Amino acid sequence: MARAATTTDAFNAVAEPRRRQLLDVLTGGERSVSDLVDRLGLSQPLVSKHLRVLREVGLVQVRDEGRQRLYRLDAGPLRSIVDWLAPFERAMAERFDLMDDVIQELKAQEESDGDNDQLGEGHPSH
């Protein structure tokens, strides 16, 4: 089975860890390629390659300023990922709510047992 092209959508683009790192840095604002190279400790060709992919799926915008090319995040294409994750987030929230209920029951049980211990109840020797 052929591997899907990385430039088809945001899912493929962010599957690569270096591209996620680039997006993380760009959440802080517009950056030049040399700034991204310095911040990530990657080679300029590698950063440029990943920026090209991110630009092709619309996750970054670029503008020229003098001799520099400045990149900024465009989070719009991430909406498809957020929408896809929403049902999983709801399922996780439901499980956390159930876990909170169990923890509250255990705490209440523990407090009840502690109260009974102070009253001398629950121990045959008292």
Side-chain angles (χ1 to χ4, degrees), residues 16-71:
E16 211 292 323
R18 300 285 190 204
R19 291 187 202 124
R20 291 194 303 271
Q21 288 180 313
L22 283 166
L23 293 174
D24 287 344
V25 171
L26 291 172
T27 60
E30 195 173 61
R31 306 271 185 225
S32 68
V33 173
S34 60
D35 189 18
L36 292 167
V37 166
D38 289 343
R39 286 177 181 265
L40 297 175
L42 302 173
S43 69
Q44 188 275 328
L46 185 61
V47 168
S48 293
K49 178 185 114 183
H50 288 306
L51 285 171
R52 181 185 54 79
V53 172
L54 294 171
R55 194 178 67 239
E56 287 179 7
V57 298
L59 283 167
V60 296
Q61 302 284 320
V62 62
R63 71 178 180 90
D64 293 326
E65 185 174 287
R67 294 176 54 179
Q68 283 191 322
R69 300 193 86 189
L70 299 174
Y71 291 84

Side-chain angles (χ1 to χ4, degrees), residues 103-116:
I103 290 170
Q104 292 303 318
E105 288 174 21
L106 290 171
K107 282 182 179 178
Q109 178 71 37
E110 194 174 282
E111 288 173 10
S112 175
D113 290 347
D115 290 344
N116 289 339

